[in-house]
Amino acid sequence: MKERRKVLVTGGAGFIGSHVVRQFVRDEKYYVVNLDKLTYAGNLENLKDVEGKANYKFVKGDICDPDLVQKIFADHDFDGVIHLAAESHVDRSISEPLEFVKTNVLGTMTLLEAAKNLWSQEGRRFYHVSTDEVYGSLGEDGLFTEKTSYDPKSPYSASKASSDHFVRAYGNTYGLPFIISNCSNNYGPNHFPEKLIPLLINNIKNERPLPIYGKGENVRDWLFVEDHATAIKLIYEKGRIGGTYNIGGLNEWRNIDLVEFLCDLMDIKLGREKGASRTLITFVKDRAGHDMRYAIDATKLNKELGWSPSLKFEEGLEKTVDWYLENEEWLKDVTSGEYMNYYEKHYSHSDK
Ligand code: NAD
Ligand code: TYD
């Protein structure tokens, strides 16, 4: 058998990372090393089905640790890196902005330094997985394209924009072969229930209030996580070096419409009376600096590489709800202990 292509995935125990790791491990031509610190958002339960595979290795560690990162690079001679490790929740970035600078900026720099110093750059690729939030906030019309100027507005998006800039700067200055993609909001299995959709599913299940910031008029473009992972694999394999690709679902929802739709779906799934879950909707104090609307133009990715989302939102959401209802233990584990402290702290002050 030909030697496998070695790829370093960072943040592979998180929500999107675990789906990316699974897709690569399934493809026998890869050998995947997953470097993850296992923060509150990382969970080895997400990777049960790849554990023990011959073409997979997990390393617990911090991307901000230069000695560890350099050792991993020296040990493996990777063909490429897919960098997903990050602090990813906007609300946490508002209360703990420095943590975001540490992991998202310094962590990315630590990886870039290792790639610059230890790689011969020929034939390699450093793929940075980023967000559409770097583009700022849209009004009622328009879409983010790859040419939209950066205008990040939260500490989270500012840290991701900064790391995107450093990746491009290493390309321009040191010739590092890089690719960046900027994706819209993901949803699906293994999503930590601090983000809107899994938080709502968990609260509906437990008949707890559904906290909606402001008037619920903010708009997000939702993409099923498996479709994002498929796009990442395609871009890693076929994307142009030095290129940027926007990834999105062509699937805009106002938060309030989404929560009502989800309530109705879960009433059916849980055998509750129609309208029962909607009574849990509670409008709470708005998020500071809350971006109004995100929406992606993914034409370039579609035209260059033929990617488009495979699932309609209604199908994806049903799959997601089914997964959470079938994986009670997973949900119980991640919502015990520290999660409840976060929840109480964050939502107890959020009455209007
Ligand atoms: P997540 O918060 O679920 O997972 C992040 C993972 O990174 C966790 O496994 C965590 O343990 C790990 N990690 C955090 N700090 C680390 C460190 N210092 N060293 C090593 N590992 C560390 O995040 P996610 O939603 O899966 O997002 C993954 C990436 O995709 C992020 O870079 C994020 O900015 C980007 N992104 C996310 C979305 C979304 O909707 N979730 C959309 C677009 C882009
Ligand atoms: P979130 O899932 O945190 O993703 P992002 O802020 O990165 O888009 O939030 C999605 C939308 O839902 C956003 O407009 C904020 C809103 N939201 C609520 O109304 N209530 C909540 O409890 C949360 C977590 C989010």
Side-chain angles (χ1 to χ4, degrees):
M1 188 181 174
K2 262 177 70 184
E3 212 185 320
R4 289 190 167 115
R5 297 189 206 159
K6 292 186 187 154
V7 57
L8 173 66
V9 177
T10 71
F15 167 48
I16 301 170
S18 60
H19 290 268
V20 171
V21 164
R22 250 181 258 129
Q23 287 210 11
F24 275 84
V25 172
R26 242 183 266 138
D27 185 340
E28 291 279 331
K29 68 175 172 287
Y30 289 103
Y31 179 82
V32 180
V33 176
N34 172 11
L35 171 61
D36 196 298
K37 189 180 171 185
L38 299 181
T39 67
Y40 76 93
N43 188 347
L44 289 179
E45 287 296 314
N46 295 343
L47 291 161
K48 273 257 171 279
D49 44 347
V50 298
E51 224 172 67
K53 295 263 188 225
N55 63 338
Y56 174 68
K57 178 177 172 177
F58 177 73
V59 179
K60 182 175 187 301
D62 191 335
I63 56 164
C64 300
D65 177 347
D67 294 341
L68 173 71
V69 168
Q70 284 177 30
K71 182 171 181 334
I72 291 174
F73 268 75
D75 285 353
H76 292 286
D77 193 26
F78 295 113
D79 294 305
V81 173
I82 305 176
H83 173 35
L84 295 113
E87 287 294 335
S88 68
H89 188 36
V90 173
D91 290 325
R92 288 186 194 249
S93 83
I94 293 169
S95 50
E96 301 281 345
L98 280 177
E99 283 305 309
F100 284 67
V101 176
K102 250 190 245 161
T103 289
N104 299 1
V105 184
L106 286 178
T108 302
M109 282 294 293
T110 307
L111 291 165
L112 287 170
E113 276 292 285
K116 166 170 84 71
N117 296 334
L118 300 171
W119 263 358
S120 65
Q121 322 247 319
E122 198 60 33
R124 324 262 177 160
R125 44 191 56 203
F126 186 102
Y127 179 177
H128 185 224
V129 176
S130 191
T131 167
D132 61 351
E133 302 188 28
V134 298
Y135 298 124
S137 179
L138 291 164
E140 276 181 23
D141 305 316
L143 300 171
F144 297 134
T145 75
E146 289 80 0
K147 296 205 165 71
T148 304
S149 303
Y150 276 33
D151 186 18
K153 293 181 183 300
S154 72
Y156 165 64
S157 54
S159 69
K160 291 297 290 188
S162 173
S163 53
D164 286 4
H165 287 323
F166 273 113
V167 172
R168 290 198 180 93
Y170 271 60
N172 183 61
T173 310
Y174 307 112
L176 184 87
F178 74 88
I179 306 183
I180 296 176
S181 62
N182 299 88
C183 187
S184 63
N185 289 61
N186 285 216
Y187 70 98
N190 310 99
H191 206 183
F192 191 78
E194 63 185 353
K195 307 275 172 65
L196 182 69
I197 290 182
L199 182 136
L200 293 174
I201 293 174
N202 187 39
N203 284 15
I204 293 172
K205 184 167 168 283
N206 294 306
E207 297 180 85
R208 277 211 292 264
L210 309 177
I212 304 303
Y213 299 158
K215 295 183 181 150
E217 286 171 348
N218 304 65
V219 173
R220 297 292 183 264
D221 168 13
W222 295 95
L223 178 68
F224 192 63
V225 63
E226 274 297 327
D227 278 332
H228 187 191
T230 303
I232 288 173
K233 188 156 185 286
L234 186 64
I235 292 169
Y236 179 76
E237 290 172 340
K238 304 213 168 108
R240 266 190 295 129
I241 295 295
T244 294
Y245 295 88
N246 279 358
I247 311 172
L250 264 185
N251 175 45
E252 290 182 49
W253 284 74
R254 285 195 318 161
N255 292 339
I256 186 64
D257 298 331
L258 190 159
V259 64
E260 287 181 355
F261 182 78
L262 184 60
C263 284
D264 296 349
L265 174 64
M266 287 197 62
D267 282 345
I268 296 168
K269 293 277 174 193
L270 295 167
R272 289 185 188 155
E273 202 176 305
K274 189 170 181 334
S277 298
R278 285 191 186 206
T279 62
L280 301 169
I281 294 174
T282 309
F283 292 96
V284 300
K285 190 165 162 247
D286 208 351
R287 172 187 281 171
H290 195 170
D291 287 345
M292 181 44 84
R293 176 173 165 258
Y294 306 142
I296 280 275
D297 180 347
T299 309
K300 178 180 170 187
L301 180 57
N302 177 264
K303 287 222 164 110
E304 260 187 40
L305 303 181
W307 177 90
S308 54
S310 72
L311 279 185
K312 287 208 180 84
F313 186 59
E314 290 76 0
E315 293 169 303
L317 200 61
E318 188 169 355
K319 272 187 172 219
T320 305
V321 168
D322 288 344
W323 187 87
Y324 281 91
L325 296 180
E326 284 158 17
N327 287 274
E328 279 206 7
E329 277 306 310
W330 184 95
L331 197 52
K332 228 188 252 163
D333 281 353
V334 300
T335 54
S336 58
E338 194 39 50
Y339 176 81
M340 282 321 287
N341 297 339
Y342 161 81
Y343 194 88
E344 296 299 334
K345 197 165 146 208
H346 183 64
Y347 291 101
S348 62
H349 306 296
S350 62
D351 292 346
K352 276 214 152 167

